[in-house]
Amino acid sequence: MTKNEKKGILILVGVVLVVLVVVIFAMKSGDKTKDAQVSTTNPPANVNSEKYTTNVNGGTKINNSNDFNKTKKYNNIEISNIQYTYEAGRSVLLADIKNTGSTQHNEEIVKVTILDENNQAIDVLSPTIPNLKAGETKQWNIIITGKDSVNAKDFKIEAK
C-alpha cells in the first residue's frame, strides 16, 4: 500500500465516523423533541383540582380560601390566624381565639359549619370554646377524623 492509498483510507474512515456521529446526534435530538412534546401535552401527575387547597409536603393539603382564613367573630370571641389542613385521614382547624370582652367567657359548645363554594354545609362540628378571661388568647384546635373537608370556601360559627 502506498502513502496515497493509506491517506485515502484514513480520510474515508474519518468521513464515515463524522457522518455516523452526525446521524446519532440527529436521532437523539429528535427523541428529545418528541419527549418535550409529550410532556407539554400531558398534565403533571400532581395537579390539584381542588379550588381552595394547596398541596404541600407529602400529601398534606392546606386551605387557601381568603374567606375561610379571615378573622371571625362570635359574641366577644375573635377567631384569627386560622389554618385548616388535611393529612393522613384527619382535618385540623387551628386558630387563635381571643376574648375581646371585659368579662370572662365561660366554656361553651358551639356549632361550626364548614361551607362549600355555594355556602352549603360540607360538615357540621360541635367544638368547645374553653374558659377565657377578658383579653385572654388561647389556641383552638379542632380535629376531624376521617373526613376531608379542607376544600372549603368558608365557615361560620354560631350558638349550639
Side-chain angles (χ1 to χ4, degrees):
M1 238 196 270
T2 65
K3 279 187 173 183
N4 284 339
E5 289 175 334
K6 286 182 183 179
K7 278 185 182 179
I9 291 174
L10 284 175
I11 291 173
L12 182 62
V13 169
V15 169
V16 169
L17 285 175
V18 168
V19 169
L20 187 60
V21 167
V22 168
V23 168
I24 291 172
F25 182 76
M27 288 175 60
K28 286 191 176 198
S29 293
D31 288 345
K32 286 180 184 176
T33 303
K34 183 178 177 183
D35 288 345
Q37 290 172 348
V38 169
S39 68
T40 58
T41 57
N42 293 333
N46 256 353
V47 169
N48 182 9
S49 62
E50 295 181 343
K51 184 174 183 177
Y52 298 111
T53 64
T54 302
N55 291 329
V56 293
N57 303 3
T60 300
K61 295 190 295 186
I62 187 165
N63 181 286
N64 60 23
S65 168
N66 289 332
D67 291 336
F68 197 98
N69 296 297
K70 281 183 187 171
T71 298
K72 308 278 191 284
K73 195 89 164 143
Y74 170 73
N75 295 334
N76 288 329
I77 304 298
E78 181 182 86
I79 304 159
S80 62
N81 296 325
I82 301 162
Q83 294 179 10
Y84 195 34
T85 59
Y86 177 80
E87 180 180 27
R90 70 181 199 168
S91 298
V92 177
L93 195 155
L94 190 63
D96 291 336
I97 53 173
K98 179 179 182 177
N99 181 351
T100 58
S102 58
T103 60
Q104 177 166 316
H105 177 88
N106 293 321
E107 184 175 288
E108 176 184 11
I109 297 173
V110 293
K111 178 180 174 184
V112 172
T113 306
I114 309 294
L115 303 169
D116 68 10
E117 188 169 22
N118 300 313
N119 291 323
Q120 300 298 309
I122 297 173
D123 207 351
V124 179
L125 315 170
S126 299
T128 301
I129 295 178
N131 290 329
L132 289 168
K133 297 175 186 168
E136 183 178 18
T137 301
K138 289 186 178 178
Q139 193 170 59
W140 203 26
N141 190 358
I142 305 170
I143 298 173
I144 308 144
T145 56
K147 188 162 187 168
D148 176 4
S149 57
V150 172
N151 187 37
K153 181 181 178 191
D154 202 0
F155 75 94
K156 64 181 177 179
I157 181 170
E158 54 196 339
K160 180 132 172 120

